[in-house]
Structure formats: C-alpha cells, structure tokens
Amino acid sequence: MAEHAPRRCCLGWDFSTQQVKVVAVDAELNVFYEESVHFDRDLPEFGTQGGVHVHKDGLTVTSPVLMWVQALDIILEKMKASGFDFSQVLALSGAGQQHGSIYWKAGAQQALTSLSPDLRLHQQLQDCFSISDCPVWMDSSTTAQCRQLEAAVGGAQALSCLTGSRAYERFTGNQIAKIYQQNPEAYSHTERISLVSSFAASLFLGSYSPIDYSDGSGMNLLQIQDKVWSQACLGACAPHLEEKLSPPVPSCSVVGAISSYYVQRYGFPPGCKVVAFTGDNPGHGFKSLPCHLICSNDLFLVQTPHLLP
C-alpha cells in the first residue's frame, strides 16, 4: 500500500534554450517524474533551429516568447493525462536560460491575473507581449550599446566594479538599450521587463514575479555590492527602466502562491508556493542544471541536479 500512497513533492522547471523540462522530487529527494517539450521537434510551427531564430546579420538571435508559453501548456496537459497528482505539490521553482528578456505589453498584468481555467495559457497571453521574438543569450548584436554603457559609467573597469562585469553583448541591459534605440514604440508600450527566469515564475504566479539577485547580476544593471539597480546604468540604457524592472529579491524568496488558474484547471493546492526562479548559470552544478527549491515550515529543501541530455 505504501508505494501507492500520495507523494508530497516539489516541482523543478527548466526553461532552457532548446526545451522546457519538469522534474518532480519527493521528500526523500527522489526524482519520480520527468517530462519535457523540445522546441524544434514538438513545436515546429515556430520554425526554430536549436530553439532560436538566427537573423540574417548572423549576430541577432531571438526566440519566440509564445513558444515557451505553449511548451508549458503541453507539459501540463501531458502531466494531467498521465494522472499526475498535482494536489501533492507543495512548492515549485526552477531555472531559465540566463540573459534572455521578455517584454510584457501594457495591460498584460490584467490578463495574467484574470486567466480562465477553460483555456490554455498561450491562447490567453498571445497579445500580451510588445516584442514577440525576444533576444536570448546567443545574441551578439549590441556591441554599440556595450560601448555606450561603459562610456557612461567611466569605462569597462568602472562598470566591472559596479556590476561585476564589463559590458557583454548578451547581457540584458545592453539588449534593452538596443530595443529602446531601434524600436522605441515597442519599448514605450512595455509595462514590465522580465528575464526568462522571472517570466517563467510569473506564468505560475499569475502576476509579475521579481528578478532574483543571481540572474539579475547578469544584466550589467545590478549594483552587486548593494543588490540594487544602478541608477547610472539604468539611465544609460533606457528611460523609466527601473519601474519596468521593479526591485530584485533574494534568490530563495517565496514570491507568492500559485495562481488560481492552476488550482482550477489542474488541481494544484491553493497553498502551493512559488519560489523565485533563477538563471541556469548561477544555479548549475557540475554538468547539471539544478532546479532549486528552498521552502520553509513543513516544506523541504530540494536541490536536484538533472543531467543535460
């Protein structure tokens, strides 16, 4: 009888370059369920190669944001069809490919908070993004913006002392600067900018999740000694940027309870905690991408590396 007893668990999610993956881990740290959606294979309608679109210049590399949303839909429906007991999930967290950024259109927060359990996520969020193809870590098209940022704060060494790194093309602050310079209308219509990690957490929260310190450190925007956004860097990249980011939080923060959408559609318990997602680089172990889950009270700590395919 014991082997058929309900297993209280945590879910770890991985929103990587080529796939979305989930693992379920019980109180003894046993991984007892895994599922994934491979973008190129399972969502060919988005036309990605290796999960991305490489543009004609060979430097610009993007991924369709709705592809990630649809992949989450598919995994959840697979879990439901398999009989996975969502009612036993105490908490969830995960990792996202570092440096990618998502641009939520004005009004998207309202859509997130009023999701209908009768429809899939991608059907309800398809008009919620001011940029449909988002820059990811492989993009190297922002050299001009990197030099502008370094010049604005007194050089590469000064920027490194402030944010932990000289300006890198893939880093999010420089990507934001490029979007503001080349597509100011889309930028002006953006009410929130997420990293891939905080975007994924937002989907589960049904509201905007903050960026965690670890992933935020890969943006050339975080003043790492004080763990606040650098006003000099924000101002050098784009106007009103701080309000589009909101304050960063510690990486172990419980950012809220799961959205009622998942309670009604899949049977998650209303008290299921969402722990801040982080970047894959700050979260990884040796040849692995752990989905970190740090929970309190009657929950448990889970750090379960799963090997890359």
Side-chain angles (χ1 to χ4, degrees):
M1 293 292 292
E3 65 183 30
H4 298 294
R7 302 176 81 168
R8 298 204 311 165
C9 65
C10 288
L11 297 182
W13 294 86
D14 175 24
F15 282 67
S16 69
T17 310
Q18 299 184 41
Q19 66 175 355
V20 170
K21 181 176 181 178
V22 64
V23 296
V25 186
D26 67 17
E28 284 71 46
L29 307 188
N30 299 308
V31 175
F32 66 92
Y33 183 92
E34 296 185 48
E35 188 57 81
S36 64
V37 170
H38 190 274
F39 301 138
D40 295 0
R41 180 190 65 219
D42 300 323
L43 290 165
E45 61 268 33
F46 289 99
T48 57
Q49 293 186 324
V52 301
H53 293 148
V54 179
H55 295 232
K56 291 181 179 179
D57 62 5
L59 301 175
T60 304
V61 183
T62 59
S63 289
V65 62
L66 277 177
M67 179 179 70
W68 299 329
V69 181
Q70 197 163 334
L72 177 57
D73 279 329
I74 292 172
I75 286 188
L76 289 167
E77 293 298 326
K78 284 184 174 183
M79 296 174 77
K80 183 177 180 179
S82 75
F84 186 88
D85 189 355
F86 292 101
S87 72
Q88 297 300 304
V89 180
L90 299 172
L92 61 87
S93 188
Q97 55 170 295
Q98 202 175 11
H99 310 302
S101 48
I102 291 85
Y103 301 79
W104 298 89
K105 188 187 296 183
Q109 169 86 324
Q110 180 60 36
L112 269 177
T113 58
S114 57
L115 293 168
S116 168
D118 297 326
L119 299 171
R120 296 190 181 189
L121 287 171
H122 76 274
Q123 296 172 289
Q124 303 180 72
L125 299 179
Q126 57 186 343
D127 296 322
C128 287
F129 306 101
S130 50
I131 302 290
S132 59
D133 247 30
C134 296
V136 294
W137 66 273
M138 296 170 67
D139 187 281
S140 57
S141 65
T142 60
T143 300
Q145 288 75 25
C146 288
R147 300 293 82 79
Q148 291 164 9
L149 177 59
E150 290 177 345
V153 299
Q157 183 61 52
L159 183 64
S160 180
C161 292
L162 189 63
T163 71
S165 301
R166 66 171 178 82
Y168 283 101
E169 281 78 2
R170 64 185 179 274
F171 277 27
T172 323
N174 308 302
Q175 297 289 349
I176 294 169
K178 179 187 172 186
I179 286 174
Y180 169 66
Q181 293 170 18
Q182 298 187 0
N183 197 346
E185 183 177 5
Y187 181 82
S188 68
H189 291 159
T190 298
E191 70 179 18
R192 184 64 167 247
I193 299 174
S194 295
L195 299 181
V196 176
S197 57
S198 61
F199 160 76
S202 299
L203 295 178
F204 288 105
L205 272 179
S207 61
Y208 296 140
S209 176
I211 293 169
D212 82 297
Y213 292 159
S214 290
D215 212 2
S217 68
M219 299 175 72
N220 275 145
L221 294 177
L222 189 71
Q223 196 167 306
I224 58 171
Q225 295 296 329
D226 304 308
K227 300 182 180 66
V228 297
W229 302 123
S230 162
Q231 295 301 314
C233 295
L234 294 174
C237 290
H240 312 297
L241 183 50
E242 186 169 21
E243 62 195 62
K244 296 180 190 292
L245 294 174
S246 87
V249 298
S251 301
C252 60
S253 301
V254 175
V255 293
I258 198 165
S259 164
S260 62
Y261 171 83
Y262 299 90
V263 176
Q264 297 173 49
R265 185 174 177 92
Y266 298 106
F268 279 86
C272 176
K273 300 291 192 297
V274 179
V275 181
F277 283 41
T278 193
D280 55 9
N281 288 328
H284 76 67
F286 179 66
K287 292 187 178 178
S288 65
L289 283 175
C291 289
H292 77 294
L293 290 164
I294 305 172
C295 311
S296 59
N297 300 329
D298 64 333
L299 306 185
F300 43 86
L301 181 146
V302 181
Q303 188 173 20
T304 54
H306 49 282
L307 295 181
L308 289 170

